[in-house]
Amino acid sequence: VGHSMGGDTIRTLMNLLADERSHLHAHWKREGGAGGAMSTAWMKSLTTVSTPLNGTPAVDFLGYDSFNKKVRILSPLHLLLALVMAIELASCKTFGKHVLGWDHWSEAHRGWGGVLLILRCIFLAQHPMIDNEDWCVPDVSIRGAMKLNETPTHRTTYYFSYVTETSRPCPLSMTLLRDRLNKEPRWPSPRTHPLMMWLSAVVGSWRHTLPVPYPAWRDEDWWNNDGPVPVHSQKFPIIFNNKSSSPSSSTWVISSVDTPPHDSPRTAAVEGHVSTNPHPAAPLEQSDASDIQPGVWYFSDTVHMDHMSVSMDPRGAQTEQQQRLYIAILKRPRLVSVSR
């Protein structure tokens, strides 16, 4: 079970298990490989909660330029990095070495080269982990998620995704934009956690800068959110085709799934024709335990909770929502296991 980016972390681990060229396989063979070869079949099920399966525009607001793979100077992300680096400089680099493990990124952190590297990050927003994309921010960008989604869903694992939302139509700008642009920005509900309100307001009206992640990009598709993560991103991975119109959740949903031969690609019925889909999906509430199959993303109806209240102490009416959510999360894989 993975909340937020934890779901993408598990997906990355599954891809490493499936790739015989990965360092995990080499290590497994060196250690003797007890139990046979590594396989995604080791994971019976994957459950994601509020996970940005298709990325989030929140990282663009925070200051990460996914197109140029840089952090914008004086952006919130740069200021956060500068604060961390200032602590590193003030603690004579012991903070980064023992707490953050800076040596993982570069040998240049040692000696005076390390001091210059810290200063470059503070004033120029430059660092080896940014250049090498060896940190979490690129992975939750929309372009980073598109790269992860190029790997098809594994046919050996059951997939469940739980979708959260806390936004609603913005009362101040709704009328003006609806009349002029036929768009309704989203605004956080009063029950949203205070730390999530500002992110919900930003994501709910964010307009992506050029160049956009894919040609048919529409800002309003990504406005409904639970704070940092759009609803559009939480249901199941989507392949954004450069030739297609703007993708929507309904485009890829299949009402029923037939088990194909082991060596044939899965197909999904889309508006009267059949198209190959590396990430087939179906509504969870409309699927009985006996009908659920591996290799298909089963997504829940919207749970009215914000991103933080899912994993922390919720407030007010969200307490009962959290209890029901966790009961469903823990119960569903057990039902599948029993039925199989």
Side-chain angles (χ1 to χ4, degrees), residues 158-176:
Y158 294 92
Y159 291 84
F160 306 99
S161 60
Y162 288 85
V163 182
T164 55
E165 180 185 11
T166 187
S167 61
R168 61 182 186 180
C170 179
L172 298 179
S173 59
M174 181 176 60
T175 303
L176 176 62

Side-chain angles (χ1 to χ4, degrees), residues 69 79 89 127 157 201 206 216:
K69 303 177 182 179
L79 296 179
L89 190 61
H127 193 275
T157 303
W206 181 253

Side-chain angles (χ1 to χ4, degrees), residues 10-332:
I10 299 172
R11 292 177 63 207
T12 301
L13 173 59
M14 294 182 69
N15 292 343
L16 291 174
L17 289 175
D19 185 3
E20 295 183 356
R21 299 167 298 176
S22 71
H23 64 280
L24 286 183
H25 281 263
H27 177 75
W28 182 250
K29 292 177 181 178
R30 286 197 303 268
E31 296 297 321
M38 300 177 70
S39 169
T40 55
W42 287 5
M43 292 191 180
K44 181 72 172 181
S45 69
L46 166 59
T47 302
T48 63
V49 186
S50 309
T51 294
L53 300 172
N54 300 299
T56 171
V59 297
D60 297 273
F61 162 75
L62 293 175
Y64 182 69
D65 182 353
S66 60
F67 184 75
N68 296 308
K69 303 177 182 179
K70 295 181 179 179
V71 173
R72 290 189 289 272
I73 295 178
L74 297 181
S75 65
L77 193 57
H78 176 211
L79 296 179
L80 177 61
L81 288 173
L83 176 62
V84 172
M85 288 297 177
I87 297 175
E88 165 78 340
L89 190 61
S91 62
C92 299
K93 300 198 298 174
T94 58
F95 176 74
K97 180 178 180 180
H98 299 293
V99 179
L100 301 178
W102 284 138
D103 290 345
H104 166 74
W105 283 289
S106 175
E107 295 290 328
H109 282 91
R110 301 173 183 176
W112 286 104
V115 175
L116 294 177
L117 193 64
I118 292 173
L119 294 176
R120 283 179 58 202
C121 186
I122 292 176
F123 294 105
L124 301 176
Q126 297 177 359
H127 193 275
M129 71 174 183
I130 300 175
D131 299 334
N132 299 330
E133 296 186 278
D134 193 14
W135 58 323
C136 66
V137 174
D139 297 330
V140 293
S141 69
I142 295 173
R143 286 188 175 89
M146 291 169 62
K147 187 182 303 183
L148 178 61
N149 293 345
E150 291 175 357
T151 302
T153 292
H154 300 287
R155 305 262 300 278
T156 56
T157 303
Y158 294 92
Y159 291 84
F160 306 99
S161 60
Y162 288 85
V163 182
T164 55
E165 180 185 11
T166 187
S167 61
R168 61 182 186 180
C170 179
L172 298 179
S173 59
M174 181 176 60
T175 303
L176 176 62
L177 291 181
R178 180 192 293 167
D179 293 341
R180 294 188 178 183
L181 303 176
N182 196 27
K183 299 179 180 180
E184 295 185 12
R186 312 302 286 182
W187 195 254
S189 70
R191 293 188 302 175
T192 305
H193 193 284
L195 293 178
M196 294 289 100
M197 280 191 170
W198 66 283
L199 275 175
S200 179
V202 169
V203 174
S205 58
W206 181 253
R207 300 185 181 279
H208 206 287
T209 55
L210 296 176
V212 294
Y214 54 89
W217 171 272
R218 293 196 311 172
D219 294 314
E220 58 270 25
D221 288 340
W222 302 79
W223 283 351
N224 291 326
N225 65 82
D226 69 349
V229 183
V231 171
H232 188 63
S233 186
Q234 298 180 42
K235 294 183 178 180
F236 51 89
I238 299 175
I239 297 295
F240 298 100
N241 192 326
N242 291 341
K243 298 180 181 179
S244 65
S245 58
S246 181
S248 64
S249 298
S250 59
T251 302
W252 292 102
V253 175
I254 50 182
S255 57
S256 62
V257 184
D258 298 325
T259 304
H262 183 71
D263 58 349
S264 67
R266 286 192 178 273
T267 58
V270 182
E271 296 181 358
H273 66 275
V274 176
S275 62
T276 301
N277 180 11
H279 304 289
L284 178 58
E285 278 70 17
Q286 300 177 17
S287 306
D288 296 330
S290 59
D291 297 330
I292 291 178
Q293 300 179 27
V296 179
W297 284 86
Y298 293 92
F299 56 92
S300 73
D301 290 339
T302 301
V303 180
H304 296 286
M305 294 187 68
D306 64 74
H307 195 81
M308 183 168 288
S309 296
V310 170
S311 58
M312 298 182 65
D313 187 25
R315 303 184 306 155
Q318 294 195 74
T319 302
E320 184 178 353
Q321 285 273 28
Q322 188 195 63
Q323 292 174 349
R324 290 202 299 265
L325 175 63
Y326 277 98
I327 289 174
I329 289 173
L330 297 175
K331 185 178 180 181
R332 180 67 61 175

